[in-house]
Amino acid sequence: MNYFITTSIPYVNGDPHIGHALEFVMSDVLARAARQRGTPTIFSTGTDEHGSKVAEKAAELKVEPKAFTDQVSAKFKEVLSLLNISNDRFIRTTDPAHEQRAQIIWKNLSADIYKGKYSGLYCTGCEAFVTEAVAKENKGVCPHHNQPYQKIEEENYFFKLSKYAPQIQQAIETDSFKIYPDTRKHEILQVIKKGLEDISISRPKQSISWGIPVPGDETQVMYVWFEALMNYLTVLGYPENKDFKDYWPANVQVIGKDILRFHAAIWPGMLLALKLPLPELLFVHGFVNVEGKKMSKSLGNVIAPAEVAKRYGTDAFRYYFLRHIPSYNDGDFSWKKLDAAYNNELADELGNTVQRTAAMVTQYQNGIIGEIPPPEHDVSSYQEALAVCHFDKALDEVWQQIRGLNQYIDEQKPWLVAKSHDEEHLKEVLAYQVSSLLEIGELLEPFLPDTASKIKAIFSTGVIRPTKGTLFPKAQTQKASRPSA
Ligand SMILES: [Zn+2]
């Protein structure tokens, strides 16, 4: 009955951007919705902090790796707070508890770990080995880093992933381990059907010192990706902690499409080897482009979440990313689209309806709402959309109800009813408006928590309680371009 949801843990070699923010807000909706249903919930996020890229970056800045990760990790925490993310846990892979428990996991995997000579292709940018097949597909050059793969030969530990391939495939095909959207499920099934090779899971300490030592072998450290995946267990206190017993398996794990292989092939392999149940659902979101272009350092178009939140606030940020970035696909951020969404949907459609309704009750009935009828709308489409992580569709449903309410007000014309002195009818119309807005507030709670609590504060006591400031005041100027810092 408990609910455990995780985000992937961002690698601290770069600062947080709006792509990370998308994953945070999506996961937050699921966590808040679970709590709203009354389900005990643990929502976990954090930062992935080992590996050579982090060590190199720290060296570049002439600081210790830990000091460097402290700084970047803190920036991610700031973003979580800025976006009103309700995570219960924040795990850092440099936490001593993670390091100790990762070593326990390694030991518990030891029946499926062996030492071997590794000779293979490696991208230093990805800090990842690639299979011959993938290298061939990419013509020998990493598509993420535009650099040729390096041939590396070294002694490593290997995990017998190949052994678990049939079980992983079956779990995915039978949906006992669900992957949404379907396109990602088919993508990973293709990979698994071609065969999963055993994977290298350690590096010699002389190549990488910034990592968790392999238990019982001073000369090797755990491969950063392998060890980072373990955070989903260590954060619950695997193996002995009560939280682990009460909350594993995860109900939903939210990741980006670039790390699908790690989470839909390697991770379930590790869990099977540990004899643990697989997560119920892996939800895979797409990338956020900026003004139609891929976000990249070299294009100089990377946007920090704070830049966007500064424009119209936290809930407007959440709204844009949850409704205007397609949940099942890549999406586009543009300032113009943000302005349009804010003015047309948040200010005109939602904010204005709230203000109008509060103003009419205040003007015609001295602020007294009276008996509020129970909600009467069918919210099953909203619930279904939320259950499959179709956040955009769920918000479409809410907005349909908002538009329906506006239409009702336009048709009923409460201002004319007030003039006709039909007090009973007027009371009925206004009470219906309030009831509908309270219902909208409930539906918005996981998505726009501040907005939802404002709506509740204004209407829920039966008497209008004015709040400070307007909900989503209309923006005066349309600033089409990026604001200058
Ligand atoms: Zn690469």
Side-chain angles (χ1 to χ4, degrees), residues 109 112 159-173 176-179 188-189 192 196 199 225-226 229-230 232-233 248-249 253 255 259-282:
L109 286 170
D112 288 309
F159 172 64
K160 284 184 196 163
L161 183 61
S162 60
K163 176 176 156 187
Y164 294 99
Q167 258 175 287
I168 299 166
Q169 183 180 334
Q170 198 201 18
I172 296 172
E173 279 173 343
S176 70
F177 173 39
K178 285 185 280 200
I179 299 173
I188 198 66
L189 279 173
I192 296 169
L196 292 177
I199 51 162
W225 277 100
F226 190 66
L229 287 166
M230 299 174 185
Y232 305 126
L233 297 177
W248 188 263
Q253 300 207 271
I255 62 161
I259 50 177
L260 177 67
R261 283 172 202 228
F262 289 95
H263 286 80
I266 298 173
W267 176 230
M270 290 164 70
L271 291 169
L272 289 167
L274 291 167
K275 300 187 171 53
L276 292 176
L278 304 187
E280 197 179 308
L281 168 65
L282 184 66

Side-chain angles (χ1 to χ4, degrees), residues 138-197:
N138 296 331
K139 300 185 172 64
V141 179
C142 171
H144 308 293
H145 297 95
N146 274 323
Q147 57 187 16
Y149 296 115
Q150 286 174 353
K151 185 107 183 158
I152 285 187
E153 198 176 275
E154 60 189 28
E155 186 138 271
N156 286 336
Y157 287 98
F158 286 79
F159 172 64
K160 284 184 196 163
L161 183 61
S162 60
K163 176 176 156 187
Y164 294 99
Q167 258 175 287
I168 299 166
Q169 183 180 334
Q170 198 201 18
I172 296 172
E173 279 173 343
T174 59
D175 279 343
S176 70
F177 173 39
K178 285 185 280 200
I179 299 173
Y180 293 157
D182 256 5
T183 45
R184 301 297 161 214
K185 173 179 169 175
H186 297 311
E187 181 185 327
I188 198 66
L189 279 173
Q190 286 306 104
V191 172
I192 296 169
K193 282 174 188 168
K194 276 184 212 159
L196 292 177
E197 295 168 21

